[in-house]
């Protein structure tokens, strides 16, 4: 607990500031104090810019796949620490569970200390014009990570003053009921909504509508349908967002970073030392036959057979999400030392399960690879710049398509279906982009199926399954084929799998975490 919750005792005074074109590029400053710093908007925004990228790395890299898509039945994996998430045999010692915990409590700790420091600066006469929106940014991030915490672990600790906790030496912190964790998350997002601006001149920065969209998602999880509908409608009515025409483009090129569909994205960039600042999904998802001297590829995660069967015929999102036999990318021209391989790829990359392995062919367990967040073989080979494992594409955490589907589902509410025109139109707008036929009446199952393929491989489907309740989640999960093309596999889903265990290492440091939860409010 100590190492994970109290990551930032002094982080507030070791400020990082941005003066460059990308707000996440920032040199460190020494000897900063409240007296001589946070006196300009750039200094304050430099502080909060640290929340948009690096701190998310441990979740975004692999834990997000393992929890959000492998466990949900969207992804198959056969290596490393992830296979237990296929059959729910993971343990409290899991690296992925520990990594996610560290990330969320680290961000929670940073935001708590940032809020405290900025409030102290205001008390000293600091300029509220730019300090208040920065505090609101912190509330958004703190609310968002506690939303994740409440969904992943259910009952969990809430820490609002990590510095005081560390100085007291008392690390006997209990778990609080999930309802309180989610209430805390909602209250944080409400503070963010109140303090964030309507717009921001810097692409990628949070706005009031980022908070409204995340609140809509949280209200939907709570089954507070009226408030979910209201917040989603406020985002829609703002006319600040829309669907990107090129669905595939959003996920295979950093030129789409901070597009009109993105309400909140993890910000990435490539520097001389990209570790932590770069997006590392390219190698974990890219097919091994796309590896070059510039780009690593080892396909740790591949589509499950079940998700492949979930796409309707003609769904344009399939090619934007999945590489299968016949999938091509003419501009990518990978090369290696094998002459037959180079001849096969001479006119551009081809995904081929019949060609000989080593000469351009690929034939993995599900005969497919993930296309989302695979930006290619590197600049020399017709793609964009890739530095080994790292690319510069942002990871979208909340998209306008989500808001539209939240709105449609919230209108249905506790009912089974709706023909209400605004809800049906929100749903159909997502389908029209996918090249699919529209409907005049929609059910909750329609929306759940639509959400699965729209957000496949984006770390979201597990939470959609979970919020259905145990009986429905069990029905859906046990119907999934989680095996390979040669060996189908099915699982038995038990109620204890609805939430992940607290990491074993945390309980060793804080035995209170093994006890029954208590009330926070």
């Amino acid at each position: 607990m100590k190492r994970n919750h109290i990551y930032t005792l002094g982080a507030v005074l070791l400020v990082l500031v941005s003066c460059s074109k990308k707000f996440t590029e920032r040199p460190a400053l020494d000897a900063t104090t409240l007296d001589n710093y946070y006196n300009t908007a750039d200094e304050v925004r430099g502080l909060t810019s640290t929340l948009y990228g690096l701190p998310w790395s441990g979740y975004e890299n692999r834990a997000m796949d393992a929890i959000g898509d492998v466990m949900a039945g969207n992804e198959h994996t056969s290596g490393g620490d992830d296979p237990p998430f296929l059959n729910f045999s993971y343990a409290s010692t899991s690296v992925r569970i520990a990594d996610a915990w560290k990330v969320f409590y680290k961000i929670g700790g940073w935001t708590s200390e940032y809020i405290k420091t900025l409030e102290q600066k205001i008390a000293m006469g600091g300029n509220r014009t730019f300090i208040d929106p920065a505090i609101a940014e912190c509330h958004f991030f703190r609310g968002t990570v506690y939303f994740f915490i409440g969904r992943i672990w259910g009952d969990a600790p809430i820490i609002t003053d990590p510095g005081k906790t560390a100085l007291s030496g008392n690390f006997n912190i209990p778990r609080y009921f999930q309802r309180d964790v989610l209430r805390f998350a909602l209250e944080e997002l409400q503070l963010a909504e109140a303090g964030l601006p309507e717009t921001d001149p810097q692409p990628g920065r949070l706005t009031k509508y980022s908070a409204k969209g995340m609140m809509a998602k949280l209200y939907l999880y709570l089954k507070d349908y009226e408030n979910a509908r209201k917040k989603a409608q406020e985002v829609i009515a703002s006319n600040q967002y829309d669907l990107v025409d090129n669905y595939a483009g959003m996920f295979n090129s950093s030129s789409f970073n901070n597009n009109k569909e993105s309400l909140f994205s993890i910000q990435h960039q490539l520097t001389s030392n990209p570790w932590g600042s770069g997006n590392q999904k390219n190698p974990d998802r890219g097919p091994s036959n796309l590896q070059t001297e510039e780009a690593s590829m080892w396909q740790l995660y591949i589509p499950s057979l079940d998700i492949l069967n979930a796409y309707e015929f003609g769904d344009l999102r399939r090619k934007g999400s999945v590489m299968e036999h016949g999938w091509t990318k003419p501009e990518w021209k990978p090369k290696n030392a094998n002459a037959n391989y180079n001849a096969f790829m001479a006119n551009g990359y081809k995904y081929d399960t019949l060609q000989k392995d080593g000469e351009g062919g690929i034939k993995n367990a599900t005969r497919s690879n993930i296309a989302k967040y695979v930006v290619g073989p590197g600049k020399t080979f017709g793609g964009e710049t890739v530095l080994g494992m790292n690319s510069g594409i942002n990871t979208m955490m909340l998209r306008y398509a989500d808001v539209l589907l939240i709105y449609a589902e919230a209108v249905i509410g506790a009912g089974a279906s709706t023909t209400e025109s605004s809800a049906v139109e929100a749903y159909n707008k997502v389908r029209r982009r996918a090249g699919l036929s529209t409907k005049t009446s929609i059910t909750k199952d329609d929306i759940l199926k639509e959400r699965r393929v729209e957000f496949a491989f984006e770390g979201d489907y597990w939470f959609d399954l979970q919020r259905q309740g145990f009986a429905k989640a069990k029905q859906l999960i046990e119907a999934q084929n989680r095996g390979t093309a040669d060996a189908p596999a099915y699982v038995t889903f038990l109620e204890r799998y609805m939430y992940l265990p607290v990491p074993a290492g945390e309980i060793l440091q804080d035995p209170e975490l093994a006890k029954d939860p208590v009330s926070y409010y």
Side-chain angles (χ1 to χ4, degrees):
M1 186 75 145
K2 193 180 303 183
R3 72 177 185 274
N4 296 341
H5 283 271
I6 319 303
Y7 260 170
T8 71
L9 285 182
V12 178
L13 297 181
L14 293 173
V15 178
L16 301 172
V17 65
S18 172
C19 297
S20 61
K21 63 182 180 179
K22 292 184 179 178
F23 68 81
T24 51
E25 293 175 356
R26 52 203 180 269
L29 297 181
D30 296 326
T32 57
T33 69
L34 280 177
D35 287 322
N36 67 16
Y37 214 66
Y38 308 132
N39 294 317
T40 69
D42 282 347
E43 289 171 353
V44 171
R45 283 161 72 87
L47 175 70
T48 55
S49 73
T50 63
L51 300 170
Y52 285 83
L54 177 61
W56 293 87
S57 178
Y59 175 68
E60 181 193 16
N61 298 335
R62 301 186 177 176
M64 184 177 179
D65 283 275
I67 296 169
D69 280 297
V70 175
M71 199 158 66
N74 281 352
E75 292 178 5
H76 181 84
T77 184
S78 58
D81 300 288
D82 301 281
F85 288 89
L86 274 176
N87 57 17
F88 299 95
S89 64
Y90 49 74
S92 61
T93 54
S94 164
V95 171
R96 303 289 181 251
I97 295 174
D99 284 348
W101 180 280
K102 291 175 187 177
V103 163
F104 296 134
Y105 280 106
K106 174 168 66 176
I107 295 172
W110 284 21
T111 53
S112 295
E113 291 299 316
Y114 288 3
I115 290 168
K116 181 179 177 182
T117 296
L118 292 174
E119 287 176 343
Q120 289 173 352
K121 183 65 178 182
I122 288 174
M124 295 168 61
N127 190 326
R128 301 193 74 121
T129 303
F130 50 78
I131 294 178
D132 281 345
I135 291 174
E137 282 181 291
C138 293
H139 283 302
F140 175 91
F141 282 106
R142 191 160 71 173
T144 297
V145 297
Y146 274 96
F147 183 25
F148 275 102
I149 288 167
R151 289 182 296 174
I152 293 174
W153 289 281
D155 308 322
I158 299 173
I159 306 293
T160 58
D161 195 342
K164 182 179 179 181
T165 301
L167 291 173
S168 72
N170 178 16
F171 298 103
N172 295 318
I173 303 168
R175 289 184 302 143
Y176 297 106
F177 291 114
Q178 184 201 38
R179 63 175 181 268
D180 290 346
V181 177
L182 294 176
R183 176 180 168 183
F184 178 77
L186 179 60
E187 290 171 351
E188 289 295 298
L189 291 171
Q190 289 169 335
L191 291 169
E193 178 191 31
L196 284 167
E198 294 269 338
T199 61
D200 195 290
Q202 271 185 320
R205 282 277 183 179
L206 297 170
T207 70
K208 194 178 297 291
Y209 297 102
S210 307
K212 290 177 185 291
M214 194 63 75
M215 288 168 65
K217 197 172 181 74
L218 198 161
Y219 278 127
L220 188 71
Y221 187 86
L222 293 173
K223 295 181 170 57
D224 183 345
Y225 298 116
E226 177 54 29
N227 277 315
R229 183 203 60 78
K230 178 182 176 183
K231 290 303 169 187
Q233 173 59 29
E234 288 174 5
V235 177
I236 295 168
S238 75
N239 293 318
Q240 291 194 29
Y241 303 93
D242 203 352
L243 299 183
V244 170
D245 293 337
N246 185 350
Y247 180 88
M250 288 194 291
F251 303 103
N252 64 29
S253 173
S254 60
S255 67
F256 283 78
N257 283 352
N258 302 320
N259 58 66
K260 64 183 178 181
E261 188 164 338
S262 177
L263 278 77
F264 166 47
S265 293
I266 299 172
Q267 302 291 310
H268 288 294
Q269 64 210 306
L270 289 180
T271 63
S272 58
N273 180 13
W275 300 107
S277 64
N279 187 321
Q280 296 183 5
K281 292 186 180 296
N282 202 54
D284 280 348
R285 294 164 173 227
S288 58
N289 69 341
L290 190 55
Q291 177 156 322
T292 66
E293 60 189 25
E294 293 181 11
S296 302
M297 300 281 181
W298 44 63
Q299 56 186 28
L300 178 61
Y301 305 108
I302 60 176
S304 69
L305 294 173
D306 203 76
I307 187 64
L308 295 178
N309 288 329
Y311 288 95
E312 294 178 47
F313 179 78
D315 192 330
L316 300 177
R317 292 170 296 195
R318 184 171 188 139
K319 185 176 180 180
S321 305
V322 179
M323 300 182 193
E324 299 171 277
H325 182 78
W327 192 94
T328 61
K329 191 77 169 174
E331 58 268 39
W332 293 351
K333 293 181 169 61
K335 294 181 181 179
N336 63 28
N338 187 300
N340 290 335
Y341 174 95
N342 294 337
F344 184 74
M345 297 292 186
N347 294 318
Y349 179 76
K350 293 182 286 188
Y351 193 97
D352 196 294
T353 60
L354 302 178
Q355 175 75 358
K356 185 177 179 181
D357 184 34
E359 296 185 359
I362 185 164
K363 189 177 180 181
N364 63 30
T366 65
R367 313 299 192 256
S368 61
N369 276 87
I370 298 171
K372 281 186 176 178
Y373 296 112
V374 176
V375 303
K379 191 170 185 178
T380 302
F381 307 100
E384 61 180 67
T385 301
V386 176
L387 299 177
M389 295 168 57
N390 299 276
S391 76
I393 191 170
N394 290 345
T395 301
M396 287 180 285
M397 301 295 285
L398 182 63
R399 297 198 277 117
Y400 185 61
D402 202 349
V403 174
L404 291 172
L405 294 177
I406 288 170
Y407 178 80
E409 185 173 347
V411 171
I412 294 175
S417 64
T418 188
T419 58
E420 198 276 330
S421 60
S422 64
V424 173
E425 172 56 23
Y427 171 85
N428 282 335
K429 187 169 185 177
V430 176
R431 283 181 63 84
R432 279 196 294 270
R433 177 174 64 176
L436 298 176
S437 60
T438 58
K439 299 185 179 184
T440 57
S441 175
I442 53 175
T443 67
K444 283 196 170 183
D445 282 344
D446 287 333
I447 294 174
L448 184 61
K449 290 176 182 177
E450 201 66 36
R451 291 186 61 86
R452 185 182 189 185
V453 293
E454 175 68 29
F455 306 113
F457 321 124
E458 295 182 51
D460 206 52
Y461 189 50
W462 168 251
F463 304 118
D464 276 334
L465 289 173
Q466 183 197 63
R467 68 184 175 85
Q468 304 305 309
F470 171 65
K472 181 73 169 180
K474 179 180 175 68
Q475 173 194 340
L476 293 169
I477 290 171
E478 290 187 350
Q480 294 174 344
N481 179 359
R482 293 175 170 236
T484 68
D486 300 316
Y490 297 86
V491 298
T492 298
F493 186 73
L494 305 178
E495 191 163 9
R496 68 173 183 267
Y497 301 149
M498 292 286 282
Y499 301 100
L500 295 179
V502 173
E506 301 301 319
I507 295 175
L508 285 176
Q509 295 181 76
D510 179 9
E512 292 291 314
L513 295 176
K515 298 179 181 179
D516 290 339
V518 299
S519 294
Y520 181 76
Y521 292 94

